[in-house]
mmCIF file of all heavy atoms in Angstrom:
data_model
loop_
_atom_site.group_PDB
_atom_site.id
_atom_site.type_symbol
_atom_site.label_atom_id
_atom_site.label_comp_id
_atom_site.label_asym_id
_atom_site.label_seq_id
_atom_site.Cartn_x
_atom_site.Cartn_y
_atom_site.Cartn_z
ATOM 1 N N GLU A 136 3.626 20.888 6.530
ATOM 2 C CA GLU A 136 3.320 20.936 7.951
ATOM 3 C C GLU A 136 3.736 19.593 8.585
ATOM 4 O O GLU A 136 4.059 18.624 7.886
ATOM 5 C CB GLU A 136 1.812 21.175 8.156
ATOM 6 C CG GLU A 136 1.375 22.533 7.703
ATOM 7 C CD GLU A 136 -0.091 22.810 7.986
ATOM 8 O OE1 GLU A 136 -0.770 22.012 8.672
ATOM 9 O OE2 GLU A 136 -0.581 23.824 7.505
ATOM 10 N N PHE A 137 3.719 19.602 9.896
ATOM 11 C CA PHE A 137 4.205 18.419 10.621
ATOM 12 C C PHE A 137 3.509 17.171 10.163
ATOM 13 O O PHE A 137 4.143 16.089 10.014
ATOM 14 C CB PHE A 137 4.020 18.608 12.136
ATOM 15 C CG PHE A 137 4.201 17.358 12.934
ATOM 16 C CD1 PHE A 137 5.441 16.722 13.012
ATOM 17 C CD2 PHE A 137 3.095 16.813 13.652
ATOM 18 C CE1 PHE A 137 5.581 15.553 13.762
ATOM 19 C CE2 PHE A 137 3.267 15.672 14.406
ATOM 20 C CZ PHE A 137 4.512 15.084 14.474
ATOM 21 N N GLU A 138 2.184 17.167 10.016
ATOM 22 C CA GLU A 138 1.404 15.978 9.678
ATOM 23 C C GLU A 138 1.897 15.389 8.361
ATOM 24 O O GLU A 138 1.867 14.128 8.229
ATOM 25 C CB GLU A 138 -0.035 16.255 9.653
ATOM 26 C CG GLU A 138 -0.653 16.597 10.971
ATOM 27 C CD GLU A 138 -0.564 15.425 11.996
ATOM 28 O OE1 GLU A 138 -0.519 14.262 11.488
ATOM 29 O OE2 GLU A 138 -0.542 15.700 13.170
ATOM 30 N N GLU A 139 2.322 16.207 7.411
ATOM 31 C CA GLU A 139 2.748 15.695 6.165
ATOM 32 C C GLU A 139 4.050 14.896 6.290
ATOM 33 O O GLU A 139 4.268 13.799 5.691
ATOM 34 C CB GLU A 139 2.962 16.877 5.132
ATOM 35 C CG GLU A 139 1.657 17.615 4.853
ATOM 36 C CD GLU A 139 1.911 18.873 4.051
ATOM 37 O OE1 GLU A 139 2.403 18.725 2.899
ATOM 38 O OE2 GLU A 139 1.672 19.980 4.582
ATOM 39 N N LEU A 140 4.993 15.458 7.093
ATOM 40 C CA LEU A 140 6.251 14.772 7.283
ATOM 41 C C LEU A 140 6.021 13.523 8.147
ATOM 42 O O LEU A 140 6.638 12.440 7.867
ATOM 43 C CB LEU A 140 7.254 15.690 7.972
ATOM 44 C CG LEU A 140 8.632 15.028 8.302
ATOM 45 C CD1 LEU A 140 9.297 14.522 7.042
ATOM 46 C CD2 LEU A 140 9.505 16.007 9.028
ATOM 47 N N ARG A 141 5.179 13.624 9.149
ATOM 48 C CA ARG A 141 4.911 12.445 9.987
ATOM 49 C C ARG A 141 4.360 11.246 9.160
ATOM 50 O O ARG A 141 4.785 10.115 9.328
ATOM 51 C CB ARG A 141 3.919 12.764 11.115
ATOM 52 C CG ARG A 141 3.634 11.554 11.956
ATOM 53 C CD ARG A 141 2.961 11.855 13.240
ATOM 54 N NE ARG A 141 1.562 12.287 13.107
ATOM 55 C CZ ARG A 141 0.783 12.512 14.178
ATOM 56 N NH1 ARG A 141 1.161 12.305 15.383
ATOM 57 N NH2 ARG A 141 -0.447 12.858 13.940
ATOM 58 N N ALA A 142 3.454 11.542 8.280
ATOM 59 C CA ALA A 142 2.937 10.462 7.404
ATOM 60 C C ALA A 142 3.985 9.718 6.605
ATOM 61 O O ALA A 142 3.986 8.542 6.518
ATOM 62 C CB ALA A 142 1.825 11.022 6.530
ATOM 63 N N ARG A 143 4.940 10.512 6.088
ATOM 64 C CA ARG A 143 6.012 9.916 5.305
ATOM 65 C C ARG A 143 7.001 9.185 6.168
ATOM 66 O O ARG A 143 7.527 8.146 5.758
ATOM 67 C CB ARG A 143 6.683 11.005 4.456
ATOM 68 C CG ARG A 143 5.789 11.405 3.281
ATOM 69 C CD ARG A 143 6.170 12.719 2.684
ATOM 70 N NE ARG A 143 5.424 12.898 1.428
ATOM 71 C CZ ARG A 143 4.161 13.278 1.364
ATOM 72 N NH1 ARG A 143 3.442 13.442 2.476
ATOM 73 N NH2 ARG A 143 3.534 13.411 0.162
ATOM 74 N N LEU A 144 7.280 9.651 7.313
ATOM 75 C CA LEU A 144 8.179 9.028 8.235
ATOM 76 C C LEU A 144 7.611 7.677 8.712
ATOM 77 O O LEU A 144 8.303 6.672 8.771
ATOM 78 C CB LEU A 144 8.558 9.890 9.445
ATOM 79 C CG LEU A 144 9.449 11.114 9.129
ATOM 80 C CD1 LEU A 144 9.635 11.973 10.374
ATOM 81 C CD2 LEU A 144 10.818 10.679 8.604
ATOM 82 N N GLU A 145 6.323 7.725 9.064
ATOM 83 C CA GLU A 145 5.638 6.442 9.470
ATOM 84 C C GLU A 145 5.651 5.420 8.286
ATOM 85 O O GLU A 145 5.828 4.265 8.569
ATOM 86 C CB GLU A 145 4.262 6.806 9.945
ATOM 87 C CG GLU A 145 4.251 7.488 11.278
ATOM 88 C CD GLU A 145 2.883 7.937 11.758
ATOM 89 O OE1 GLU A 145 1.957 7.965 10.886
ATOM 90 O OE2 GLU A 145 2.713 8.241 12.903
ATOM 91 N N ARG A 146 5.394 5.922 7.138
ATOM 92 C CA ARG A 146 5.416 5.041 5.991
ATOM 93 C C ARG A 146 6.779 4.408 5.815
ATOM 94 O O ARG A 146 6.957 3.220 5.560
ATOM 95 C CB ARG A 146 5.005 5.842 4.722
ATOM 96 C CG ARG A 146 5.222 5.057 3.426
ATOM 97 C CD ARG A 146 4.957 5.934 2.219
ATOM 98 N NE ARG A 146 5.269 5.259 0.966
ATOM 99 C CZ ARG A 146 5.075 5.863 -0.221
ATOM 100 N NH1 ARG A 146 4.622 7.077 -0.321
ATOM 101 N NH2 ARG A 146 5.377 5.196 -1.334
ATOM 102 N N TYR A 147 7.846 5.261 5.872
ATOM 103 C CA TYR A 147 9.190 4.778 5.805
ATOM 104 C C TYR A 147 9.492 3.743 6.842
ATOM 105 O O TYR A 147 10.143 2.719 6.568
ATOM 106 C CB TYR A 147 10.214 5.900 5.841
ATOM 107 C CG TYR A 147 11.619 5.472 6.018
ATOM 108 C CD1 TYR A 147 12.306 4.968 4.929
ATOM 109 C CD2 TYR A 147 12.264 5.542 7.251
ATOM 110 C CE1 TYR A 147 13.612 4.562 5.059
ATOM 111 C CE2 TYR A 147 13.584 5.096 7.375
ATOM 112 C CZ TYR A 147 14.236 4.620 6.315
ATOM 113 O OH TYR A 147 15.547 4.155 6.438
ATOM 114 N N ALA A 148 9.114 4.008 8.099
ATOM 115 C CA ALA A 148 9.392 3.055 9.192
ATOM 116 C C ALA A 148 8.779 1.715 8.904
ATOM 117 O O ALA A 148 9.341 0.639 9.160
ATOM 118 C CB ALA A 148 8.863 3.625 10.517
ATOM 119 N N GLN A 149 7.529 1.735 8.338
ATOM 120 C CA GLN A 149 6.865 0.441 8.044
ATOM 121 C C GLN A 149 7.646 -0.273 6.925
ATOM 122 O O GLN A 149 7.870 -1.513 6.989
ATOM 123 C CB GLN A 149 5.423 0.680 7.587
ATOM 124 C CG GLN A 149 4.532 1.061 8.751
ATOM 125 C CD GLN A 149 3.051 1.081 8.297
ATOM 126 O OE1 GLN A 149 2.729 1.002 7.093
ATOM 127 N NE2 GLN A 149 2.159 1.271 9.268
ATOM 128 N N GLN A 150 8.012 0.420 5.882
ATOM 129 C CA GLN A 150 8.781 -0.129 4.733
ATOM 130 C C GLN A 150 10.112 -0.771 5.297
ATOM 131 O O GLN A 150 10.414 -1.893 4.947
ATOM 132 C CB GLN A 150 9.066 0.877 3.714
ATOM 133 C CG GLN A 150 7.894 1.373 2.954
ATOM 134 C CD GLN A 150 8.252 2.543 2.015
ATOM 135 O OE1 GLN A 150 8.956 3.454 2.435
ATOM 136 N NE2 GLN A 150 7.731 2.493 0.824
ATOM 137 N N ARG A 151 10.764 0.004 6.066
ATOM 138 C CA ARG A 151 12.069 -0.420 6.593
ATOM 139 C C ARG A 151 11.913 -1.706 7.435
ATOM 140 O O ARG A 151 12.733 -2.640 7.348
ATOM 141 C CB ARG A 151 12.708 0.677 7.367
ATOM 142 C CG ARG A 151 14.114 0.428 7.880
ATOM 143 C CD ARG A 151 14.731 1.639 8.468
ATOM 144 N NE ARG A 151 16.133 1.445 8.863
ATOM 145 C CZ ARG A 151 16.539 1.019 10.025
ATOM 146 N NH1 ARG A 151 15.645 0.702 10.975
ATOM 147 N NH2 ARG A 151 17.791 0.823 10.270
ATOM 148 N N GLY A 152 10.889 -1.719 8.309
ATOM 149 C CA GLY A 152 10.644 -2.867 9.106
ATOM 150 C C GLY A 152 10.361 -4.126 8.321
ATOM 151 O O GLY A 152 10.898 -5.198 8.594
ATOM 152 N N ARG A 153 9.617 -3.964 7.235
ATOM 153 C CA ARG A 153 9.329 -5.162 6.392
ATOM 154 C C ARG A 153 10.581 -5.642 5.661
ATOM 155 O O ARG A 153 10.758 -6.821 5.548
ATOM 156 C CB ARG A 153 8.247 -4.744 5.375
ATOM 157 C CG ARG A 153 6.819 -4.683 5.884
ATOM 158 C CD ARG A 153 5.794 -4.683 4.795
ATOM 159 N NE ARG A 153 5.905 -3.466 3.967
ATOM 160 C CZ ARG A 153 5.192 -2.345 4.207
ATOM 161 N NH1 ARG A 153 4.354 -2.354 5.218
ATOM 162 N NH2 ARG A 153 5.358 -1.289 3.466
ATOM 163 N N LEU A 154 11.395 -4.734 5.206
ATOM 164 C CA LEU A 154 12.580 -5.110 4.491
ATOM 165 C C LEU A 154 13.556 -5.802 5.403
ATOM 166 O O LEU A 154 14.215 -6.746 5.071
ATOM 167 C CB LEU A 154 13.217 -3.884 3.831
ATOM 168 C CG LEU A 154 12.413 -3.315 2.628
ATOM 169 C CD1 LEU A 154 13.026 -1.992 2.187
ATOM 170 C CD2 LEU A 154 12.397 -4.278 1.456
ATOM 171 N N LEU A 155 13.724 -5.214 6.620
ATOM 172 C CA LEU A 155 14.714 -5.810 7.566
ATOM 173 C C LEU A 155 14.255 -7.205 8.040
ATOM 174 O O LEU A 155 15.087 -8.057 8.345
ATOM 175 C CB LEU A 155 14.879 -4.880 8.796
ATOM 176 C CG LEU A 155 15.623 -3.579 8.536
ATOM 177 C CD1 LEU A 155 15.580 -2.708 9.762
ATOM 178 C CD2 LEU A 155 17.026 -3.788 7.992
ATOM 179 N N ALA A 156 12.951 -7.415 8.105
ATOM 180 C CA ALA A 156 12.416 -8.707 8.579
ATOM 181 C C ALA A 156 12.239 -9.721 7.461
ATOM 182 O O ALA A 156 11.857 -10.901 7.702
ATOM 183 C CB ALA A 156 11.091 -8.493 9.308
ATOM 184 N N ALA A 157 12.488 -9.301 6.237
ATOM 185 C CA ALA A 157 12.204 -10.199 5.112
ATOM 186 C C ALA A 157 13.115 -11.445 5.067
ATOM 187 O O ALA A 157 14.345 -11.275 5.316
ATOM 188 C CB ALA A 157 12.367 -9.431 3.824
ATOM 189 N N VAL A 158 12.529 -12.604 4.788
ATOM 190 C CA VAL A 158 13.290 -13.821 4.584
ATOM 191 C C VAL A 158 12.951 -14.302 3.241
ATOM 192 O O VAL A 158 11.772 -14.537 2.888
ATOM 193 C CB VAL A 158 12.988 -14.856 5.662
ATOM 194 C CG1 VAL A 158 13.750 -16.182 5.354
ATOM 195 C CG2 VAL A 158 13.290 -14.395 7.064
ATOM 196 N N VAL A 159 13.925 -14.439 2.360
ATOM 197 C CA VAL A 159 13.681 -14.773 0.965
ATOM 198 C C VAL A 159 14.035 -16.274 0.719
ATOM 199 O O VAL A 159 15.212 -16.672 0.802
ATOM 200 C CB VAL A 159 14.549 -13.975 -0.032
ATOM 201 C CG1 VAL A 159 14.283 -14.343 -1.461
ATOM 202 C CG2 VAL A 159 14.103 -12.443 0.200
ATOM 203 N N ARG A 160 12.997 -17.089 0.496
ATOM 204 C CA ARG A 160 13.231 -18.542 0.247
ATOM 205 C C ARG A 160 12.888 -18.845 -1.197
ATOM 206 O O ARG A 160 13.268 -19.879 -1.689
ATOM 207 C CB ARG A 160 12.332 -19.319 1.133
ATOM 208 C CG ARG A 160 12.584 -19.137 2.628
ATOM 209 C CD ARG A 160 11.725 -20.107 3.423
ATOM 210 N NE ARG A 160 11.931 -19.910 4.861
ATOM 211 C CZ ARG A 160 11.270 -19.085 5.611
ATOM 212 N NH1 ARG A 160 10.294 -18.350 5.067
ATOM 213 N NH2 ARG A 160 11.432 -18.955 6.964
ATOM 214 N N GLY A 161 12.189 -17.938 -1.882
ATOM 215 C CA GLY A 161 11.835 -18.208 -3.269
ATOM 216 C C GLY A 161 11.262 -16.945 -3.877
ATOM 217 O O GLY A 161 11.232 -15.878 -3.343
ATOM 218 N N GLN A 162 10.737 -17.128 -5.124
ATOM 219 C CA GLN A 162 10.174 -15.989 -5.918
ATOM 220 C C GLN A 162 9.086 -15.276 -5.238
ATOM 221 O O GLN A 162 8.936 -14.052 -5.269
ATOM 222 C CB GLN A 162 9.771 -16.448 -7.292
ATOM 223 C CG GLN A 162 9.317 -15.327 -8.161
ATOM 224 C CD GLN A 162 10.460 -14.334 -8.510
ATOM 225 O OE1 GLN A 162 11.528 -14.782 -8.846
ATOM 226 N NE2 GLN A 162 10.170 -13.038 -8.270
ATOM 227 N N ALA A 163 8.175 -16.042 -4.524
ATOM 228 C CA ALA A 163 7.055 -15.418 -3.870
ATOM 229 C C ALA A 163 7.575 -14.421 -2.757
ATOM 230 O O ALA A 163 6.980 -13.316 -2.565
ATOM 231 C CB ALA A 163 6.202 -16.474 -3.146
ATOM 232 N N ASP A 164 8.671 -14.801 -2.098
ATOM 233 C CA ASP A 164 9.176 -13.900 -1.055
ATOM 234 C C ASP A 164 9.797 -12.667 -1.729
ATOM 235 O O ASP A 164 9.649 -11.553 -1.149
ATOM 236 C CB ASP A 164 10.241 -14.616 -0.206
ATOM 237 C CG ASP A 164 9.650 -15.820 0.571
ATOM 238 O OD1 ASP A 164 8.598 -15.580 1.149
ATOM 239 O OD2 ASP A 164 10.319 -16.890 0.587
ATOM 240 N N VAL A 165 10.474 -12.840 -2.837
ATOM 241 C CA VAL A 165 11.043 -11.699 -3.545
ATOM 242 C C VAL A 165 9.898 -10.770 -3.958
ATOM 243 O O VAL A 165 10.037 -9.532 -3.798
ATOM 244 C CB VAL A 165 11.809 -12.161 -4.802
ATOM 245 C CG1 VAL A 165 12.216 -10.938 -5.629
ATOM 246 C CG2 VAL A 165 13.008 -12.972 -4.371
ATOM 247 N N ASP A 166 8.812 -11.295 -4.490
ATOM 248 C CA ASP A 166 7.690 -10.485 -4.915
ATOM 249 C C ASP A 166 7.051 -9.702 -3.704
ATOM 250 O O ASP A 166 6.715 -8.551 -3.894
ATOM 251 C CB ASP A 166 6.605 -11.327 -5.577
ATOM 252 C CG ASP A 166 7.074 -11.933 -6.844
ATOM 253 O OD1 ASP A 166 8.045 -11.416 -7.404
ATOM 254 O OD2 ASP A 166 6.475 -12.956 -7.320
ATOM 255 N N ARG A 167 6.971 -10.332 -2.546
ATOM 256 C CA ARG A 167 6.488 -9.645 -1.400
ATOM 257 C C ARG A 167 7.389 -8.500 -0.990
ATOM 258 O O ARG A 167 6.912 -7.407 -0.608
ATOM 259 C CB ARG A 167 6.249 -10.587 -0.260
ATOM 260 C CG ARG A 167 4.957 -11.408 -0.352
ATOM 261 C CD ARG A 167 4.630 -12.162 0.967
ATOM 262 N NE ARG A 167 5.610 -13.194 1.217
ATOM 263 C CZ ARG A 167 5.438 -14.456 0.726
ATOM 264 N NH1 ARG A 167 4.327 -14.714 0.061
ATOM 265 N NH2 ARG A 167 6.320 -15.391 1.009
ATOM 266 N N VAL A 168 8.714 -8.722 -1.039
ATOM 267 C CA VAL A 168 9.613 -7.629 -0.730
ATOM 268 C C VAL A 168 9.464 -6.451 -1.598
ATOM 269 O O VAL A 168 9.433 -5.309 -1.221
ATOM 270 C CB VAL A 168 11.118 -8.169 -0.672
ATOM 271 C CG1 VAL A 168 12.070 -6.989 -0.527
ATOM 272 C CG2 VAL A 168 11.280 -9.163 0.482
ATOM 273 N N LEU A 169 9.465 -6.733 -2.942
ATOM 274 C CA LEU A 169 9.268 -5.705 -3.918
ATOM 275 C C LEU A 169 8.021 -4.966 -3.796
ATOM 276 O O LEU A 169 7.914 -3.746 -3.920
ATOM 277 C CB LEU A 169 9.477 -6.269 -5.329
ATOM 278 C CG LEU A 169 10.858 -6.803 -5.680
ATOM 279 C CD1 LEU A 169 10.874 -7.401 -7.078
ATOM 280 C CD2 LEU A 169 11.914 -5.668 -5.556
ATOM 281 N N ALA A 170 6.946 -5.691 -3.485
ATOM 282 C CA ALA A 170 5.613 -5.056 -3.291
ATOM 283 C C ALA A 170 5.657 -4.150 -2.098
ATOM 284 O O ALA A 170 5.146 -3.039 -2.108
ATOM 285 C CB ALA A 170 4.570 -6.105 -3.167
ATOM 286 N N GLY A 171 6.309 -4.646 -1.055
ATOM 287 C CA GLY A 171 6.357 -3.799 0.188
ATOM 288 C C GLY A 171 7.059 -2.500 -0.001
ATOM 289 O O GLY A 171 6.843 -1.506 0.686
ATOM 290 N N ALA A 172 8.072 -2.486 -0.939
ATOM 291 C CA ALA A 172 8.798 -1.251 -1.219
ATOM 292 C C ALA A 172 8.037 -0.158 -1.744
ATOM 293 O O ALA A 172 8.415 1.042 -1.686
ATOM 294 C CB ALA A 172 9.991 -1.551 -2.184
ATOM 295 N N SER A 173 6.832 -0.410 -2.256
ATOM 296 C CA SER A 173 5.954 0.625 -2.760
ATOM 297 C C SER A 173 5.100 1.264 -1.700
ATOM 298 O O SER A 173 4.353 2.193 -1.972
ATOM 299 C CB SER A 173 4.983 0.028 -3.842
ATOM 300 O OG SER A 173 4.113 -0.881 -3.281
ATOM 301 N N GLY A 174 5.255 0.798 -0.435
ATOM 302 C CA GLY A 174 4.572 1.436 0.688
ATOM 303 C C GLY A 174 3.285 0.838 1.071
ATOM 304 O O GLY A 174 2.906 -0.251 0.627
ATOM 305 N N PRO A 175 2.509 1.462 1.965
ATOM 306 C CA PRO A 175 1.306 0.933 2.532
ATOM 307 C C PRO A 175 0.246 0.621 1.479
ATOM 308 O O PRO A 175 -0.697 -0.121 1.752
ATOM 309 C CB PRO A 175 0.815 2.064 3.454
ATOM 310 C CG PRO A 175 2.001 2.796 3.845
ATOM 311 C CD PRO A 175 2.907 2.779 2.619
ATOM 312 N N ALA A 176 0.326 1.163 0.255
ATOM 313 C CA ALA A 176 -0.695 0.961 -0.756
ATOM 314 C C ALA A 176 -0.817 -0.509 -1.083
ATOM 315 O O ALA A 176 -1.930 -0.983 -1.411
ATOM 316 C CB ALA A 176 -0.417 1.742 -2.011
ATOM 317 N N SER A 177 0.286 -1.236 -0.965
ATOM 318 C CA SER A 177 0.267 -2.610 -1.376
ATOM 319 C C SER A 177 -0.319 -3.526 -0.315
ATOM 320 O O SER A 177 -0.824 -4.610 -0.577
ATOM 321 C CB SER A 177 1.662 -3.133 -1.752
ATOM 322 O OG SER A 177 2.523 -3.017 -0.643
ATOM 323 N N THR A 178 -0.297 -3.081 0.959
ATOM 324 C CA THR A 178 -0.722 -3.903 2.035
ATOM 325 C C THR A 178 -1.932 -3.285 2.719
ATOM 326 O O THR A 178 -2.688 -3.989 3.374
ATOM 327 C CB THR A 178 0.358 -4.073 3.062
ATOM 328 O OG1 THR A 178 0.668 -2.773 3.607
ATOM 329 C CG2 THR A 178 1.623 -4.673 2.476
ATOM 330 N N GLY A 179 -2.152 -1.963 2.555
ATOM 331 C CA GLY A 179 -3.210 -1.299 3.255
ATOM 332 C C GLY A 179 -3.003 -1.192 4.762
ATOM 333 O O GLY A 179 -3.962 -1.070 5.461
ATOM 334 N N THR A 180 -1.766 -1.371 5.252
ATOM 335 C CA THR A 180 -1.516 -1.310 6.703
ATOM 336 C C THR A 180 -1.414 0.122 7.117
ATOM 337 O O THR A 180 -0.579 0.898 6.607
ATOM 338 C CB THR A 180 -0.232 -2.052 7.001
ATOM 339 O OG1 THR A 180 -0.328 -3.469 6.567
ATOM 340 C CG2 THR A 180 0.032 -2.053 8.504
ATOM 341 N N LEU A 181 -2.186 0.516 8.045
ATOM 342 C CA LEU A 181 -2.224 1.895 8.555
ATOM 343 C C LEU A 181 -1.027 2.164 9.516
ATOM 344 O O LEU A 181 -0.617 1.257 10.197
ATOM 345 C CB LEU A 181 -3.497 2.181 9.282
ATOM 346 C CG LEU A 181 -4.777 2.212 8.437
ATOM 347 C CD1 LEU A 181 -6.021 2.191 9.305
ATOM 348 C CD2 LEU A 181 -4.819 3.441 7.557
ATOM 349 N N PRO A 182 -0.540 3.384 9.541
ATOM 350 C CA PRO A 182 0.440 3.724 10.587
ATOM 351 C C PRO A 182 -0.112 3.627 11.955
ATOM 352 O O PRO A 182 -1.327 3.682 12.123
ATOM 353 C CB PRO A 182 0.776 5.182 10.239
ATOM 354 C CG PRO A 182 0.353 5.382 8.826
ATOM 355 C CD PRO A 182 -0.858 4.501 8.617
ATOM 356 N N LYS A 183 0.746 3.500 12.940
ATOM 357 C CA LYS A 183 0.339 3.426 14.375
ATOM 358 C C LYS A 183 -0.504 4.653 14.734
ATOM 359 O O LYS A 183 -0.203 5.750 14.336
ATOM 360 C CB LYS A 183 1.546 3.264 15.271
ATOM 361 C CG LYS A 183 2.202 1.885 15.138
ATOM 362 C CD LYS A 183 3.396 1.776 16.124
ATOM 363 C CE LYS A 183 4.018 0.409 15.979
ATOM 364 N NZ LYS A 183 5.197 0.269 16.910
ATOM 365 N N GLY A 184 -1.515 4.469 15.547
ATOM 366 C CA GLY A 184 -2.310 5.559 15.997
ATOM 367 C C GLY A 184 -3.493 5.900 15.075
ATOM 368 O O GLY A 184 -4.303 6.780 15.449
ATOM 369 N N MET A 185 -3.596 5.188 13.926
ATOM 370 C CA MET A 185 -4.712 5.386 13.031
ATOM 371 C C MET A 185 -5.618 4.190 13.041
ATOM 372 O O MET A 185 -5.106 3.076 13.045
ATOM 373 C CB MET A 185 -4.192 5.660 11.627
ATOM 374 C CG MET A 185 -3.340 6.942 11.509
ATOM 375 S SD MET A 185 -2.628 7.245 9.936
ATOM 376 C CE MET A 185 -4.057 7.494 8.910
ATOM 377 N N SER A 186 -6.936 4.426 13.007
ATOM 378 C CA SER A 186 -7.869 3.323 13.050
ATOM 379 C C SER A 186 -8.449 3.028 11.693
ATOM 380 O O SER A 186 -8.695 3.933 10.899
ATOM 381 C CB SER A 186 -8.990 3.623 14.074
ATOM 382 O OG SER A 186 -9.870 4.608 13.520
ATOM 383 N N VAL A 187 -8.788 1.813 11.435
ATOM 384 C CA VAL A 187 -9.452 1.364 10.217
ATOM 385 C C VAL A 187 -10.771 2.105 10.065
ATOM 386 O O VAL A 187 -11.158 2.549 8.972
ATOM 387 C CB VAL A 187 -9.601 -0.150 10.131
ATOM 388 C CG1 VAL A 187 -10.491 -0.547 8.920
ATOM 389 C CG2 VAL A 187 -8.247 -0.856 10.086
ATOM 390 N N GLU A 188 -11.547 2.150 11.157
ATOM 391 C CA GLU A 188 -12.867 2.728 11.105
ATOM 392 C C GLU A 188 -12.817 4.183 10.653
ATOM 393 O O GLU A 188 -13.601 4.631 9.782
ATOM 394 C CB GLU A 188 -13.577 2.660 12.466
ATOM 395 C CG GLU A 188 -13.892 1.212 12.915
ATOM 396 C CD GLU A 188 -12.655 0.442 13.477
ATOM 397 O OE1 GLU A 188 -11.586 1.122 13.655
ATOM 398 O OE2 GLU A 188 -12.759 -0.714 13.702
ATOM 399 N N THR A 189 -11.912 5.019 11.227
ATOM 400 C CA THR A 189 -11.810 6.394 10.863
ATOM 401 C C THR A 189 -11.291 6.565 9.411
ATOM 402 O O THR A 189 -11.769 7.410 8.655
ATOM 403 C CB THR A 189 -10.920 7.196 11.838
ATOM 404 O OG1 THR A 189 -11.416 7.019 13.146
ATOM 405 C CG2 THR A 189 -10.848 8.633 11.529
#
Side-chain angles (χ1 to χ4, degrees):
E136 296 183 8
F137 167 65
E138 292 298 331
E139 298 172 62
L140 179 59
R141 177 164 73 172
R143 283 160 172 77
L144 290 176
E145 290 176 341
R146 171 186 175 179
Y147 168 76
Q149 287 189 352
Q150 291 173 316
R151 185 171 184 271
R153 283 194 295 268
L154 291 172
L155 290 177
V158 176
V159 178
R160 300 184 182 89
Q162 185 62 50
D164 296 318
V165 173
D166 293 342
R167 277 192 292 270
V168 170
L169 293 178
S173 64
S177 60
T178 63
T180 302
L181 292 166
K183 290 182 179 179
M185 297 176 67
S186 73
V187 171
E188 293 77 11
T189 303

